[in-house]
Amino acid sequence: MSTIEQFGYRQELQRSLGFADLMIYGLIFMVPIAPFGIFGNVFSVSHGMVALAYVVGLVAMAFTALSYAQMARAFPMAGSVYTYAGRGIGAPVGFMAGWSILLDYILVPSLLYLVAGVAMNSFVPAIPVWAWLIAFVALNTVVNYLGIQMTARITRIMLVAELAVLAVFLVVGAVALAQGKAQTGALTPIFDSSGFTWSVVFAAASVAVLSFLGFDGISTLAEENREDARRLGRSMLAALGLAAVLFVVQTWVAALLTPGRDELIAGGDPSGNAFYATAEFAGGHWLSVLTAVATAVAWGFANSLVAQAATSRLLFAMARDRQLPSFLAKVDPRHKVPVNATLAVAAVSLILGVFMSGRANGVGELASLVNFGAMTAFLLLHVAVVVHYVVRRRSTNWWAHLVAPVIGFAVLVAVVVNQNVAAQWVGGLWLLVGLLLLGGSYLFGRKPVLPTEVK
């Protein structure tokens, strides 16, 4: 098995995670019931073809997962796409990939805490959103500080709970359909000729893909994987495949039962309650409450727990390479976790979450920016596969090292082009800042250099 020492690093994190741990981590990061929270938005943008939006999102992420798997075999280190682009193309490109994915990773915990805080506040209005934010951030920070094994144990429990809630919804939904409560034809969630255009489909996929973000978080745990690097890639593909099946099935059932379809398509879902209204229509108020509370706990605790862990590993990897402040590379000697990076993520998540809670469409704005950062970084990942394997190593594995990355790149371009315009502008400004920082590093003689490149 490849070791990180050959790339100029010391093994500081604890190798304790197996294939099942990594796959479960990815599933929790994606959240098996993630569509609950954004169902209304995807329904509106897709003109009711929610299942189709998730299928297209799966295609985009499947090719990306294949590229991740190839690069994980070559470079079994923490850092995700930052490491792969840096090692596969060059340190400056790696910095920009890391800077792009930071827009995703840093904002994801804030988004999750905000969604959970708003949801819990709707049930217990006496406790403000900011108080829920503090509670969730504090709890997750303590669990992550206690070590990756503690995080892995907690995620297993949460995964079982989420799957149980999903099973209840699907059973009740199936009974409702059998009772004749369907609001549209059986194939409408996958194709509706009255509303179908490719721009509609890709625009919807740009929203739906938020549910898939997280499988890539597995790559940040490369230095805590105790098995062969190939298992890392396989765990990504397995987690992505299982999540996709769950997403398509639940959104198909929900789309068939959604009341007020025309109004939802025309007016959107500003309150974020479309799925819970559908659950109430299918099974009663108790099912609405169950799915809403499950969403709050899943996003605010389980998902944000692993998101904080993944983000801290990315900050750790970039700081270790002197591309971020060095204090973020400090590892706790007892728990073997990047302690300062973990605390930094907690602080940023809390500040951003509280700030965005005061904005009318804080959730939507954060979600759009998260997607832009991830998609941009994934584009560089596909390029890295081609450069590293085909250009440098003269690989003749044309499918894995050329055809699949090119297809994945093309699909992602279609998704990004059809994304929210505001997200494109703000995301573009973020990239511009990254380019200025990169230029400044060259100007002051601190150009990005990876350990094995040091002369």
Side-chain angles (χ1 to χ4, degrees), residues 23-24 27-28 31-34 36 155-171 242-243 245-247 250 290 294 298 302:
M23 184 181 67
I24 291 171
L27 279 173
I28 282 291
V31 186
I33 58 174
F36 286 15
T155 56
R156 286 176 181 267
I157 296 172
M158 296 305 301
L159 179 61
V160 172
E162 290 178 33
L163 292 176
V165 173
L166 178 56
V168 170
F169 170 76
L170 291 177
V171 170
L242 288 174
V245 171
L246 296 176
F247 292 165
Q250 66 189 272
L290 175 64

Side-chain angles (χ1 to χ4, degrees), residues 168-339:
V168 170
F169 170 76
L170 291 177
V171 170
V172 174
V175 171
L177 291 174
Q179 293 173 342
K181 289 188 175 182
Q183 302 295 295
T184 187
L187 295 180
T188 303
I190 198 72
F191 181 77
D192 184 355
S193 59
S194 65
F196 178 87
T197 66
W198 282 113
S199 61
V200 165
V201 172
F202 282 115
S206 73
V207 181
V209 78
L210 178 66
S211 300
F212 289 106
L213 299 184
F215 78 89
D216 57 301
I218 294 174
S219 66
T220 65
L221 303 181
E223 293 177 33
E224 288 149 288
N225 168 39
R226 68 169 183 265
E227 299 175 349
D228 187 271
R230 291 182 177 85
R231 289 297 186 96
L232 195 76
R234 291 170 186 169
S235 65
M236 289 187 215
L237 291 168
L240 184 65
L242 288 174
V245 171
L246 296 176
F247 292 165
V248 171
V249 170
Q250 66 189 272
T251 55
W252 196 313
V253 172
L256 292 176
L257 292 167
T258 300
R261 294 174 53 82
D262 294 338
E263 293 80 1
L264 182 57
I265 291 173
D269 182 31
S271 66
N273 292 323
F275 188 91
Y276 314 129
T278 299
E280 183 160 356
F281 175 76
H285 184 64
W286 69 271
L287 186 59
S288 173
V289 173
L290 175 64
T291 53
V293 172
T295 299
V297 175
W299 287 53
F301 178 55
N303 192 197
S304 52
L305 176 68
V306 294
Q308 186 182 44
T311 306
S312 66
R313 270 61 176 181
L314 176 60
L315 295 177
F316 163 77
M318 294 186 73
R320 183 173 59 183
D321 290 337
R322 299 177 62 197
Q323 297 189 24
L324 287 177
S326 59
F327 80 92
L328 294 172
K330 177 179 174 57
V331 174
D332 183 88
R334 179 181 177 186
H335 299 292
K336 302 297 182 182
V337 297
V339 57

Side-chain angles (χ1 to χ4, degrees), residues 435-448:
L435 287 171
L436 292 175
L437 290 174
L438 182 61
S441 67
Y442 275 91
L443 184 63
F444 292 102
R446 290 178 56 87
K447 66 177 184 178

Side-chain angles (χ1 to χ4, degrees), residues 340-377:
N340 287 347
T342 299
L343 294 175
V345 174
V348 172
S349 299
L350 182 60
I351 293 170
L352 277 176
V354 171
F355 173 76
M356 296 303 288
S357 67
R359 296 181 64 85
N361 189 33
V363 172
E365 292 173 356
L366 278 176
S368 296
L369 290 173
V370 164
N371 285 350
F372 182 91
M375 298 303 101
T376 305

Side-chain angles (χ1 to χ4, degrees), residues 52-144:
L52 177 60
Y54 275 96
V55 170
V56 174
L58 168 63
V59 172
M61 292 300 97
F63 284 105
T64 300
L66 289 173
S67 288
Y68 261 109
Q70 294 303 315
M71 297 307 284
R73 292 174 60 181
F75 307 110
M77 294 170 283
S80 185
V81 69
Y82 153 72
T83 293
Y84 304 149
R87 297 281 174 176
I89 304 175
V93 180
F95 172 82
M96 288 307 302
W99 183 258
S100 297
I101 205 72
L102 272 177
L103 189 61
D104 167 10
Y105 277 32
I106 287 180
L107 296 182
V108 157
S110 301
L111 171 63
L112 299 173
Y113 290 130
L114 178 58
V115 169
V118 170
M120 293 304 294
N121 175 256
S122 68
F123 293 107
V124 190
I127 301 179
V129 173
W130 61 264
W132 286 112
L133 279 165
I134 293 175
F136 281 126
V137 171
L139 176 62
N140 284 345
T141 301
V142 170
V143 173
N144 271 317

